[in-house]
Amino acid sequence: MRLDHPTTGAVPSDVIEPRHDLTYASDAPARDRYGRRIDYLRVSLTDRCNMRCVYCMPAVGMQFLPRPELLSNDELILVLRAAAGVGFRKIRLTGGEPTLRHEIVALVRAIKAIPGIAHVAMTTNALRLRQLAGPLREAGLDRVNVSIDSLDPQKFRQMTRGGSLDEVWAGVRAADEAGLRPIKLNAVVVRGMNDDEVIRLAALTTQYPWEFRFIEVMPLTGVAGLAEDGVISSAELLARIAAHFGPLETYGQDPSDPARCYRIPGAPGKLGFISAVTDPFCATCNRMRLTAEGRLHLCLLRDDELDLRAAVRAGAGEGEIAQLIRHAVDVKPWGHGLPEGVRPTLRSMSQLGG
Ligand code: SAM
Ligand code: SF4
């Protein structure tokens, strides 16, 4: 497998033209042209959200997709069956806020029943988890990641522009009780907003067997100046946490997990650091994204996309869609171009799902 950055300047075209002249062996595993096995699809179920986190959406002025623009449940299941046929094994449901999706429990049940799909997870703000954790678990959801940027109710409300920390905690507890484990909690750390809480957040892993993941702010559309002024590197956070708790233990690393993992000595939980900006993990990338309106988005921090909805609505069957997905895997870019100053311009994080 090629692990170095093969080119620095090559920026693929933004919109990938579907190729109907290519055929791929249907039993070959989905590997991209750099040899990376691509088997993880992050699926945005909606671009809408019941929060407005400062690093994700502007306070006002978001334009949301009209419902007919979204893939219907039947269309989504068709695309995911095709993806499973190509070798995708893990699905993460995200958004916007995935729990706002109409008939979310039935949808999870249908996705989990697709032959070949081994694991279905969800990234959520947890505002609706108190009610939904049990039914989602019963429908086959394996686990959840919950976003929680602050343990101070006032600050949490400010950063999420209105979210209730109590409700989120109730959701996390409901997820734990329902068995949606191991629970992972995510905080995007923004300098001057919640970086003073890093020790308190990390200390949760000394109480609970959860993974707490610190995420660097990424420069997606709608983040305004935070991507310039707000980024605080994982290296700086690690140093601050180690200065408080003593040297951290390194933790066995799954190569396809973007989080670099550590443990506070003796803690039941672990810490993860996701450093897309300062220490990218493109060499071991195993994922692609599907937007709510059915576009395969090939790299989080680039604009390259392939429109599957157009094919579905033109009557393409599972086999044809599988060929399109294979083509998308084939042309997946090596990695993002932040070091060369290439910024994604097409979408906000709430349209892509993280
Ligand atoms: N609404 C759900 C939630 O907040 O967990 C799922 C969607 S959200 C877009 C997915 C993840 O992206 C969350 O962990 C969120 O913290 C993260 N995120 C949003 N904007 C980000 C940014 N600019 N940089 C880094 N992570 C971001
Ligand atoms: Fe909503 Fe999640 Fe974006 Fe926050 S990070 S605004 S909860 S989609």
Side-chain angles (χ1 to χ4, degrees):
M1 183 191 291
R2 185 167 185 171
L3 291 180
D4 56 329
H5 193 311
T7 63
T8 48
V11 181
S13 62
D14 285 350
V15 179
I16 309 294
E17 287 301 321
R19 295 281 304 270
H20 299 288
D21 55 325
L22 298 176
T23 51
Y24 297 90
S26 60
D27 56 349
R31 286 190 189 276
D32 70 4
R33 62 188 135 154
Y34 305 109
R36 295 173 297 189
R37 173 91 198 244
I38 310 299
D39 60 4
Y40 173 24
L41 190 62
R42 297 178 64 100
V43 178
S44 173
L45 294 180
T46 172
D47 56 344
R48 290 168 197 258
C49 190
N50 43 5
M51 289 189 186
R52 291 285 182 279
C53 300
V54 289
Y55 47 75
C56 181
M57 288 194 194
V60 289
M62 283 297 291
Q63 301 274 322
F64 297 110
L65 291 166
R67 193 141 163 213
E69 301 272 311
L70 269 56
L71 287 184
S72 69
N73 286 0
D74 287 348
E75 289 170 337
L76 179 59
I77 295 299
L78 175 64
V79 168
L80 296 186
R81 288 181 71 89
V86 162
F88 282 82
R89 295 287 167 262
K90 178 174 171 187
I91 302 292
R92 174 169 299 277
L93 304 174
T94 176
E97 177 45 40
T99 57
L100 297 181
R101 172 86 182 208
H102 187 56
E103 297 177 339
I104 181 65
V105 175
L107 188 56
V108 165
R109 195 184 310 282
I111 293 171
K112 193 60 194 268
I114 294 173
I117 297 299
H119 189 86
V120 181
M122 180 182 281
T123 299
T124 171
N125 62 28
L127 280 183
R128 300 198 68 222
L129 265 195
R130 189 209 291 253
Q131 300 81 18
L132 283 173
L136 285 171
R137 178 68 184 145
E138 186 272 324
L141 189 71
D142 290 291
R143 29 173 313 275
V144 287
N145 285 15
V146 173
S147 299
I148 184 163
D149 300 318
S150 169
L151 297 177
D152 174 83
Q154 266 308 96
K155 196 187 294 175
F156 186 83
R157 194 172 290 283
Q158 271 171 10
M159 284 191 76
T160 58
R161 298 199 184 95
S164 155
L165 184 61
D166 282 350
E167 233 8 80
V168 170
W169 266 117
V172 171
R173 292 199 181 281
D176 205 24
E177 276 160 29
L180 292 166
R181 306 191 196 109
I183 293 202
K184 296 188 185 179
L185 303 180
N186 297 331
V188 177
V189 184
V190 184
R191 193 180 293 282
M193 283 192 190
N194 60 344
D195 61 317
D196 58 339
E197 285 200 64
V198 164
I199 302 299
R200 214 174 148 202
L201 292 168
L204 286 175
T205 65
T206 64
Q207 277 179 277
Y208 302 102
W210 301 337
E211 179 175 333
F212 201 98
R213 299 156 33 122
F214 296 101
I215 305 176
E216 291 177 351
V217 185
M218 291 177 230
L220 275 291
T221 308
V223 203
L226 288 187
E228 277 75 37
D229 312 328
V231 178
I232 177 159
S233 73
S234 295
E236 183 179 337
L237 293 183
L238 254 171
R240 282 202 213 172
I241 293 170
H244 184 86
F245 292 101
L248 302 179
E249 295 166 358
T250 50
Y251 199 92
Q253 185 69 41
D254 168 358
S256 59
D257 184 353
R260 307 227 153 82
C261 294
Y262 298 83
R263 190 199 290 277
I264 297 170
K270 57 180 177 164
L271 299 170
F273 296 84
I274 301 184
S275 332
V277 178
T278 62
D279 190 10
F281 35 83
C282 307
T284 52
C285 184
N286 65 342
R287 61 200 60 196
M288 294 207 308
R289 292 165 174 83
L290 182 69
T291 68
E293 78 269 52
R295 288 175 160 257
L296 268 182
H297 191 91
L298 310 194
C299 167
L300 178 60
L301 293 169
R302 287 192 187 267
D303 287 338
D304 309 61
E305 291 191 341
L306 189 144
D307 186 0
L308 293 181
R309 189 189 68 187
V312 170
R313 294 195 177 169
E318 195 178 313
E320 287 166 86
I321 297 163
Q323 291 287 332
L324 293 174
I325 297 173
R326 269 194 189 280
H327 176 55
V329 169
D330 196 33
V331 299
K332 178 175 159 65
W334 166 256
H336 67 68
L338 297 183
E340 298 103 63
V342 179
R343 291 285 183 103
T345 56
L346 207 55
R347 296 190 182 276
S348 64
M349 195 63 111
S350 58
Q351 295 172 312
L352 290 172

